[in-house]
Amino acid sequence: MKRIIRIIALLALVTIAVAPLAAQAAGKKAKGEVVMKMGNKVHLFHSGTADVKKEIALNDTIPVYRQVGKHPQLKEVGQVKVLTFLDDHHYEAEIVKGEIKVGDIAKKGEAGLLVRPAK
């Protein structure tokens, strides 16, 4: 009986010692997330198909969405203004509203563009 009590006490001590380390690791992960704010430049990555190029024009203001919740639902988190065409798969844009994270999606009509930080 004494042996079982010692084992349970030892397990409790180990659990107490490890819990702060796990909480600290979770906090670091959230801090590493890139958040871009109004005025920042971003690159919009797209497939390069003709329908996307036809849908997106310079000086367009496009809403940006993020998938939230357990069941993927799109929530509008900001807007970007298309500034210039960079190459076959990228536009450069400026954030004009909201806070945008890497991986958010700018959508106009059927065209979806992945938001990435400008280099």
Side-chain angles (χ1 to χ4, degrees), residues 1 8 11 22 26 31 41 44 46 83 87 94 108 111:
M1 184 71 168
I8 291 173
L11 288 174
K31 287 182 183 178
K41 298 252 192 308
L44 304 176
H46 61 89
L83 300 176
D87 58 34
E94 179 180 1
K108 181 178 179 192

Side-chain angles (χ1 to χ4, degrees), residues 2-93:
K2 288 183 181 181
R3 193 174 213 181
I4 293 173
I5 293 173
R6 286 182 187 163
I7 292 172
I8 291 173
L10 182 62
L11 288 174
L13 287 174
V14 169
T15 303
I16 292 171
V18 173
L21 297 175
Q24 188 177 26
K28 286 183 181 179
K29 185 176 182 181
K31 287 182 183 178
E33 208 169 275
V34 176
V35 177
M36 299 163 282
K37 299 180 181 183
M38 277 182 30
N40 288 21
K41 298 252 192 308
V42 293
H43 290 171
L44 304 176
F45 174 78
H46 61 89
S47 62
T49 58
D51 55 330
V52 173
K53 292 178 182 179
K54 202 164 63 171
E55 189 83 39
I56 307 297
L58 297 182
N59 295 320
D60 277 354
T61 300
I62 304 171
V64 178
Y65 299 93
R66 180 175 304 137
Q67 286 187 345
V68 293
K70 291 182 181 179
H71 306 289
Q73 295 179 350
L74 292 180
K75 174 185 173 188
E76 186 172 336
V77 293
Q79 294 181 348
V80 294
K81 181 178 181 181
V82 178
L83 300 176
T84 185
F85 172 78
L86 292 177
D87 58 34
D88 288 342
H89 297 281
H90 292 91
Y91 288 102
E92 185 174 59

